[in-house]
Amino acid sequence: MGTSQVPHGDSPADPGRRGFINWFLGTSIGALFASVAYPVLRFVSPPEIPEASMNQVEAGPINDPELLEIGYKILRFGAEPVILIRGGEGDFRAFAATCTHLDCIVEYHKDKKRIWCNCHNGEYNLSGQQVAGPPPRPLESFKVDLVVKAVGEPEHIVVSRA
C-alpha cells in the first residue's frame, strides 16, 4: 500500500491512447479555429497597398471628349482623386476632388461654374475657395501644364503638385 497506481498509458513517458486523443483533439480544434479566424481577419483588415509616389499625372489631350462635353474629369493622383476642370478655351484647373467637409467626391457644374459637393451641398468657386455650405477649407490646388508631345498633335494636359 502507499504506492499510487498510474493507469496504463497515462505516464509522461508513454502518453498512450488517451494522450494521443487529447493531442489530436487539441490540434484539431486549433486548426479549425485558425481556418475560420484567418479568412475573417483577412477580410476585416485588408492588406495595405503602398501609395505610389507621384509628382505628375498626364490627363490626356486638351480635346478629350469628356472634358469638352461635361467640363471636368476625375483623375487618380496615386490614391488621391483630383478633379481637372476645363473652365474655357485653354483654361484648365485642377484641385483635390475630395470635399474638405467629409471627403465626398466633388463634381463640376459647368452651367454655374462651381465645384459642388453633393453630400451636404457644399460649393467652391473656380479658385477652389469655399463659397457655400459646410466645407471649412478651400480645395487643395494642383498645377496644370500643357505639353506638346509631337508636331501636329493636340497639347496634352499634365497635372502636378503645386
Side-chain angles (χ1 to χ4, degrees), residues 54-65:
M54 308 177 92
N55 290 329
Q56 63 182 22
V57 172
E58 184 177 325
I62 60 170
N63 60 358
D64 185 325

